[in-house]
Amino acid sequence: MDRLLHFFLAIFFSIAILSSGGCAMSSVFSPYPIQAEKFRSAIYEGEMNPSGDKQKILADLEEERDSADHMLYMMERGRINQLNNAFDDSKKDFEQVIAAFEEQNLAATIQAGETAAQGASLLTNDNAIPYKGTGYERIFVHHHQALNYLGNKDYDGAAVEFRKVALEQRILLEKHEKEVAQAYEDASDKQIDIDNLSTQFAGMDTVAGKIKSSFQNAYTFYTSAAFWEARGELDAALIDYKKAFEINPDNTYIQQDIARVSKKRGDAVEATEFNEAKSGQGTVVIVFEQGFVPGKEEIKIPIPTFDGGIISLAFPFYRTEVWPQRVPLRVMDDAYTEFGYTQELADVSA
């Protein structure tokens, strides 16, 4: 049920890898995290993938291109292809997902088939609903598509995708805020005790509290900022660095980036650390992605009925006592000169 280059000298940060997932029609009674276990091996090469089944897994995913859950499988396939440097194949996979999201934007009414599927899900589970994607997936699809263009050295194409992902984040944030406000109003009208329900998910609240927003992604803002700076578009770079900093104010590298770009623009800067390349040197950004988002589980909450009975409704949750822990990456050159450690930029799991 769950989802998911350049390194400026001595800039290091880490992120959590997004393991895309969803509820698939093809295996109604098999939780998607179990189905997706085999996809992990396809990410690795050589000794990490001794069975050599990457091509078979990619072929299996290709067969789902026209399925009801094609968005889900193409996100998986696109990510696997990208991590194996097959940028053209990954670009094709993500193009299909992006087209599906755009088609959803144009849809004005709920189709009868979708209504029937929603009804079936009450009798079975969410696997009966054709997968439609989520907000954070919209962001990551454009993000990864931009990386595909970068991999192919198509910088104009990457620029288009970075602009799209900025627009998506703004739209989703506004939509989410309206939906949350409406949900609280509806709960109040129906006299639903939100505090009582919230205790069931207390552990998740603690983890979610570590991030400022579910839709404002510091990883994406930082990547786009580095791209704009490399192209010399300092105004755009500064805007995105500042957005990343608003979400993650503890990252010292972002603070240095803001100071550096501000200095390049000729702004008055009080900072003394700019993380600048020396004369005759270039700059590089290292992106360190670590781990997988944990799979969702279910908790059943008893709900009283009008006739005095009790029914149990299942809600998804994450088991937070086994939450993935970040381990910083230590970076050295071949002469064992140490540059530093990564700093967390985005906790995708949270």
Side-chain angles (χ1 to χ4, degrees):
M1 286 169 60
D2 51 324
R3 301 300 176 254
L4 348 342
L5 262 163
H6 309 124
F7 145 64
F8 289 89
L9 189 62
I11 296 180
F12 308 97
F13 58 85
S14 63
I15 67 164
I17 191 171
L18 177 69
S19 176
S20 296
C23 305
M25 282 286 286
S26 57
S27 298
V28 172
F29 299 105
S30 178
Y32 192 77
I34 295 177
Q35 299 177 48
E37 281 295 326
K38 64 180 180 181
F39 300 151
R40 294 191 183 192
S41 65
I43 293 174
Y44 306 108
E45 294 280 10
E47 294 181 0
M48 293 295 290
N49 184 20
S51 62
D53 58 357
K54 179 182 68 177
Q55 294 305 321
K56 181 181 184 304
I57 291 172
L58 288 171
D60 290 342
L61 288 169
E62 175 66 24
E63 292 180 359
E64 300 290 345
R65 191 173 290 278
D66 297 322
S67 71
D69 299 307
H70 65 96
M71 292 180 68
L72 167 61
Y73 292 113
M74 290 307 102
M75 282 189 282
E76 297 284 18
R77 195 174 192 277
R79 187 64 171 136
I80 293 170
N81 274 321
Q82 183 180 76
L83 290 172
N84 285 286
N85 298 319
F87 300 119
D88 287 332
D89 291 337
S90 178
K91 185 169 170 284
K92 176 183 176 183
D93 297 331
F94 285 132
E95 282 175 349
Q96 180 172 340
V97 180
I98 291 171
F101 274 128
E102 291 176 348
E103 185 177 328
Q104 290 177 21
N105 291 342
L106 295 174
T109 58
I110 298 176
Q111 301 299 317
E114 292 179 351
T115 304
Q118 293 281 355
S121 72
L122 297 177
L123 302 177
T124 55
N125 56 42
D126 282 352
N127 287 3
I129 305 174
Y131 194 72
K132 296 299 182 183
T134 63
Y136 65 82
E137 286 172 330
R138 285 177 179 255
I139 295 171
F140 270 112
V141 166
H142 286 292
H143 173 107
H144 290 309
Q145 192 71 308
L147 296 185
N148 283 332
Y149 280 108
L150 285 176
N152 285 332
K153 296 182 172 55
D154 182 349
Y155 305 120
D156 290 337
V160 171
E161 291 301 325
F162 279 129
R163 291 190 180 97
K164 286 181 179 179
V165 79
L167 176 62
E168 286 288 356
Q169 292 193 79
R170 184 168 68 250
I171 292 174
L172 286 168
L173 179 63
E174 294 173 355
K175 178 181 178 182
H176 177 68
E177 289 175 342
K178 292 178 181 178
E179 288 176 346
V180 169
Q182 185 62 49
Y184 274 102
E185 182 179 335
D186 291 346
S188 177
D189 292 343
K190 298 177 182 178
Q191 298 182 332
I192 296 175
D193 187 353
I194 294 178
D195 292 334
N196 181 53
L197 292 176
S198 296
T199 59
Q200 304 287 342
F201 303 96
M204 291 174 61
D205 290 342
T206 301
V207 173
K210 296 178 181 179
I211 60 171
K212 180 179 178 180
S213 171
S214 298
F215 298 100
Q216 300 285 283
N217 187 332
Y219 174 30
T220 294
F221 281 130
Y222 191 95
T223 307
S224 61
F227 172 77
W228 297 127
E229 183 179 4
R231 282 170 63 96
E233 300 187 32
L234 301 183
D235 291 344
L238 185 59
I239 290 172
D240 283 352
Y241 277 135
K242 287 184 175 180
K243 288 180 178 178
F245 183 68
E246 288 176 4
I247 301 168
N248 192 342
D250 297 326
N251 191 304
T252 58
Y253 298 129
I254 305 178
Q255 299 175 36
Q256 295 169 0
D257 298 327
I258 292 173
R260 180 182 63 255
V261 173
S262 297
K263 180 182 175 183
K264 287 181 179 180
R265 281 164 32 102
D267 301 336
V269 180
E270 296 181 359
T272 58
E273 295 292 334
F274 300 101
N275 205 2
E276 292 179 291
K278 296 179 181 179
S279 177
Q281 291 184 341
T283 55
V284 184
V285 173
I286 288 180
V287 179
F288 175 46
E289 300 187 344
Q290 182 182 54
F292 290 88
V293 173
K296 289 179 184 175
E297 300 182 34
E298 73 173 17
I299 183 171
K300 291 187 176 181
I301 298 179
I303 304 294
T305 62
F306 291 109
D307 59 0
I310 296 289
I311 61 172
S312 293
L313 294 183
F315 290 85
F317 82 106
Y318 291 102
R319 193 171 296 282
T320 54
E321 63 269 22
V322 291
W323 204 250
Q325 298 298 312
R326 174 180 61 86
V327 179
L329 178 69
R330 181 184 182 187
V331 183
M332 297 183 293
D333 63 15
D334 54 3
Y336 299 102
T337 301
E338 185 172 305
F339 293 104
Y341 290 82
T342 59
Q343 293 183 19
E344 185 176 285
L345 182 63
D347 183 345
V348 177
S349 297

